[in-house]
Amino acid sequence: MTGILMLANIYFTIKIRDYKKEIFTLQKETQSKDRLIQRYEQGIASLYRINFKSSEINDLLSNKSVIKHLETGEKIICYMQEGVCRTCIFKMLQDLSILEEKGMIDTGKVLVTTNIGNKNQPFKIPEFDYPTVYVDTFFFPEELSKESIIFVADDQMNVDMLYLPEVFPKLRQQYFRELLPNYFKNK
């Protein structure tokens, strides 16, 4: 009988040790994920508050066709660079379309800019009827050349609410469901 109790004691001691290790591992993973989420939140907070004027973005915003659209008020500008994932662009435009349908942003606020196609026939995604302007300037670092970019611009060439959906995919819902609608709601 004593031998059975000793074996049971050893078994449960080993099990408890294994559970403690597993709990410790899970705590480390949770802390790591919390740090990652915090880093993403800090990143988006700094990105969506950017208000800058650089020669490159001035090149984009001073495009005559873009200026024409900005004269009617602030626009949500979606920039799609050649080589950007088409599905990613589709999802971004779909999110904006949903915001329009729900009345969270005004119809006519979206402008698509692209360097795909040419001046007379810029590339368009057929499912969306957003005005599209061809631009031949890419204004972000080379490492972002394969990313879709979205931001708000006004007629003074101020940029706000900059977001890179593929760089911060976990913040997509927050950007499209909270930040962007609240930005226009508070205007």
Side-chain angles (χ1 to χ4, degrees):
M1 180 75 155
T2 316
I4 293 175
L5 288 175
M6 267 178 73
L7 286 175
N9 191 19
I10 291 171
Y11 173 79
F12 287 118
T13 302
I14 291 171
K15 279 296 189 188
I16 289 172
R17 187 185 65 206
D18 290 344
Y19 287 135
K20 284 181 179 179
K21 283 181 184 178
E22 191 174 334
I23 289 170
F24 179 74
T25 302
L26 289 173
Q27 286 174 334
K28 282 177 65 174
E29 286 177 10
T30 302
Q31 290 171 350
S32 176
K33 287 179 182 177
D34 287 345
R35 281 194 299 274
L36 182 63
I37 289 169
Q38 185 179 20
R39 198 169 74 228
Y40 275 125
E41 287 174 344
Q42 290 169 345
I44 194 66
S46 63
L47 278 176
Y48 91 86
R49 279 282 157 225
I50 289 177
N51 189 334
F52 62 92
K53 292 182 180 180
S54 68
S55 61
E56 293 85 2
I57 201 140
N58 282 341
D59 287 347
L60 170 73
L61 295 178
S62 62
N63 175 296
K64 289 178 184 176
S65 297
V66 174
I67 289 173
K68 180 181 170 190
H69 288 280
L70 290 176
E71 286 174 353
T72 61
E74 276 184 317
K75 297 288 182 207
I76 300 167
I77 298 182
C78 302
Y79 183 80
M80 50 184 178
Q81 171 84 353
E82 190 162 352
V84 170
C85 158
R86 299 279 196 259
T87 304
C88 303
I89 295 167
F90 184 88
K91 286 185 346 189
M92 181 172 61
L93 296 176
Q94 187 176 39
D95 287 338
L96 291 169
S97 177
I98 290 168
L99 291 179
E100 280 184 340
E101 288 171 11
K102 290 182 175 182
M104 299 173 95
I105 59 171
D106 293 339
T107 303
K109 283 279 187 205
V110 178
L111 173 64
V112 177
T113 58
T114 183
N115 72 346
I116 306 169
N118 60 52
K119 194 172 188 172
N120 296 325
Q121 268 194 312
F123 172 78
K124 285 185 157 201
I125 295 190
E127 292 84 355
F128 302 98
D129 193 29
Y130 294 124
T132 303
V133 174
Y134 177 81
V135 294
D136 55 8
T137 303
F138 182 69
F139 50 90
F140 283 97
E142 181 65 29
E143 56 270 12
L144 296 178
S145 66
K146 303 291 185 231
E147 307 296 337
S148 53
I149 299 165
I150 184 170
F151 59 92
V152 177
D154 64 18
D155 61 344
Q156 301 299 308
M157 294 188 206
N158 292 316
V159 172
D160 211 348
M161 300 297 296
L162 178 69
Y163 177 58
L164 303 137
E166 287 75 47
V167 176
F168 297 103
K170 292 183 179 184
L171 298 172
R172 178 181 213 91
Q173 282 189 337
Q174 183 181 9
Y175 183 82
F176 286 105
R177 290 186 182 169
E178 296 173 28
L179 298 175
L180 198 56
N182 286 340
Y183 176 83
F184 285 102
K185 182 178 169 182
N186 295 326
K187 286 284 179 170

